[in-house]
Amino acid sequence: MKIRLLGSLVMVFALIAQYGSAARQTPGIAVDRTVEVEGRPGGVDFAMRIQSGHLTGEANEYVYGYGRTISQLIWETDSLYMAGVGATLKLGRWVSLQGDVWSKITDGEGTMNDYDWLYSTGAWSHWSQHDDTDVTKGTIVDLSGAVFPLQMLEKYHLSLSGLLGFRMENYEWEARGGTYVYSSNGGFRDLSGDFTEGELGITYEQLFYYPYLGLDVAFLLGRFEGGMRLIGSPAVFGEAKAQHHLRDLETHADLEWGRMYAVSLSVAYHFCDYVGLSTSLSYTEYDTITANSTYTWTNSDGSKTTRTYDDGEGASLQTAMASLAVTIGF
C-alpha cells in the first residue's frame, strides 16, 4: 500500500515537471517570466498561506453477509477544528504548483449510531447510540499542479486551468459509553440499557489516497478574486480499520479502486500585492468502496484467530469544510 502511495505521488510530479519543461522549451513561444500570486498580474512567484477551518462530515462503516447489509455504523463528525499551511509556486505562465497540509487542532466532537439487521425482515434488530464520540485524527494533504491556463475574458482576468494532483485524507473516531436497544433470542427490541459511561467501545479509522484530475476557474475584479475548483478520481485507495474493545476484535480492509469528487468555492480580497485574505467552502464525497474484510479475535490465552470475508466490508465518507486563510507573498 505504501508503494502504491509513493508511486502515485512520483507519477503526479513527473507529469507536472514534463509539462513545465515542454512549455519552456517549445520554439516560437515567448514565455512571460512575470509570475502571479493568486492570479494577480505583476505579483511575485511564491506565496504562503496560514489557514484555519471547521470541518463536519459523516463516515459509514458497513458489514455485509448473506447477500445483504447486516450492520452499519454511522460516524458523525459534528465539529472538528483544523489548522493548515499552504504554498503556491508559479513557474511562468504555464505551470503553477500548490501544496496544502491540514491537521486537527484538538479532538473533534461527534456521534456514532450502530445498527444491526440480524433478521431478514428489513427492520433493524439492534441499535446503539454513542454521543460521547471523539474525532481523534484528522489530516489532509493536497498537492497539485495547474497547467496551461486558458485566458478567456481579458477584462476580468478569467482563466481556466487543468489540474493534476495527489490527495490524502485520514480520520479516526472513538466511541465511548452510550445506550442500546437489542433483541433477545426469539424477541424483538426487547432489551435496553446503558454502556458504562466513559468506557471505550469502538475505534474506527479511515485512510484514503489517490491521484486526481480537475479544473480550476479563477477571476479577478479589482482587488477581489473568486475561484472554483472541481476534482475527481476513479482510483481511490486506502484502508479501513476498526477495533471493538469489548469483544477483543479487530477488523481491517484494504480499499481499492474507489471513486470520489470534490468541489470548492473561494473569495479573496488582496490588500496589496503581498497580503490577501480569503474564505472558502469545500465539499468532498467518497463513494462506498466494498472490500474483503479480515477479522482478528484475541483469545483468552493471548492467541489470535483470523478469518477473511470476501466483500465483507464497505466504507464511505462525506465532509464539508469552511475555512479562512491569510496569504503572504514573497
Side-chain angles (χ1 to χ4, degrees):
M1 186 174 298
K2 292 181 179 179
I3 294 176
R4 281 202 301 264
L5 187 152
L6 181 60
S8 299
L9 189 58
V10 171
M11 177 189 71
V12 167
F13 281 98
L15 289 173
I16 292 173
Q18 183 178 356
Y19 280 127
S21 177
R24 289 192 299 269
Q25 297 176 10
T26 300
I29 295 180
V31 178
D32 185 358
R33 296 297 179 181
T34 302
V35 291
E36 304 171 1
V37 174
E38 303 293 309
R40 292 179 290 124
V44 294
D45 64 348
F46 181 73
M48 292 190 65
R49 292 176 295 280
I50 302 173
Q51 307 169 113
S52 63
H54 181 257
L55 183 142
T56 60
E58 177 182 298
N60 283 271
E61 175 188 2
Y62 299 96
V63 179
Y64 304 122
Y66 312 106
R68 57 186 176 87
T69 300
I70 60 176
S71 183
Q72 179 182 4
L73 289 78
I74 305 171
W75 299 85
E76 299 277 358
T77 299
D78 300 323
S79 179
L80 179 63
Y81 289 96
M82 308 278 285
V85 294
T88 299
L89 175 65
K90 295 210 169 187
L91 308 175
R93 295 176 55 190
W94 303 104
V95 176
S96 65
L97 304 179
Q98 179 170 305
D100 292 277
V101 178
W102 293 85
S103 181
K104 73 178 184 68
I105 300 175
T106 60
D107 286 352
E109 299 175 354
T111 304
M112 194 271 277
N113 282 274
D114 183 356
Y115 295 90
D116 293 334
W117 293 265
L118 299 189
Y119 313 119
S120 57
T121 59
W124 59 263
S125 59
H126 293 60
W127 166 69
S128 64
Q129 182 173 6
H130 308 265
D131 293 329
D132 185 7
T133 296
D134 294 329
V135 187
T136 53
K137 288 183 181 180
T139 303
I140 304 172
V141 177
D142 194 325
L143 307 174
S144 65
V147 296
F148 299 123
L150 175 64
Q151 300 294 330
M152 294 184 293
L153 290 176
E154 185 71 22
K155 180 180 178 180
Y156 299 104
H157 301 287
L158 183 65
S159 66
L160 174 67
S161 302
L163 294 175
L164 180 65
F166 174 86
R167 185 178 174 95
M168 183 276 289
E169 290 197 62
N170 180 215
Y171 302 98
E172 182 184 75
W173 300 262
E174 292 183 351
R176 302 174 184 272
T179 60
Y180 64 85
V181 176
Y182 288 167
S183 299
S184 63
N185 292 330
F188 185 69
R189 300 181 184 175
D190 55 338
L191 301 175
S192 62
D194 299 312
F195 295 103
T196 302
E197 184 177 356
E199 183 177 33
L200 181 58
I202 304 175
T203 300
Y204 182 60
E205 181 176 3
Q206 288 183 342
L207 168 68
F208 299 100
Y209 59 86
Y210 48 92
Y212 65 79
L213 295 173
L215 294 174
D216 184 82
V217 179
F219 72 90
L220 183 69
L221 185 60
R223 291 186 175 273
F224 287 94
E225 181 183 356
M228 181 181 72
R229 175 183 169 103
L230 178 65
I231 67 171
S233 176
V236 177
F237 295 87
E239 61 181 6
K241 300 186 293 183
Q243 186 170 0
H244 296 257
H245 302 276
L246 304 181
R247 298 165 56 192
D248 295 322
L249 169 65
E250 297 180 11
T251 68
H252 179 272
D254 287 329
L255 308 175
E256 297 181 332
W257 297 108
R259 296 178 299 179
M260 66 75 61
Y261 75 90
V263 60
S264 63
L265 302 173
S266 63
V267 177
Y269 181 80
H270 301 286
F271 299 99
C272 62
D273 285 345
Y274 302 99
V275 179
L277 180 67
S278 65
T279 182
S280 67
L281 180 64
S282 62
Y283 175 80
T284 304
E285 181 167 331
Y286 298 87
D287 289 346
T288 301
I289 306 175
T290 301
N292 296 340
S293 184
T294 299
Y295 281 52
T296 302
W297 290 270
T298 301
N299 303 315
S300 58
D301 60 358
S303 62
K304 296 183 182 295
T305 301
T306 300
R307 183 173 179 180
T308 298
Y309 299 89
D310 293 341
D311 294 331
E313 186 170 338
S316 68
L317 176 67
Q318 302 86 38
T319 64
M321 183 165 68
S323 63
L324 186 69
V326 176
T327 302
I328 303 173
F330 298 93

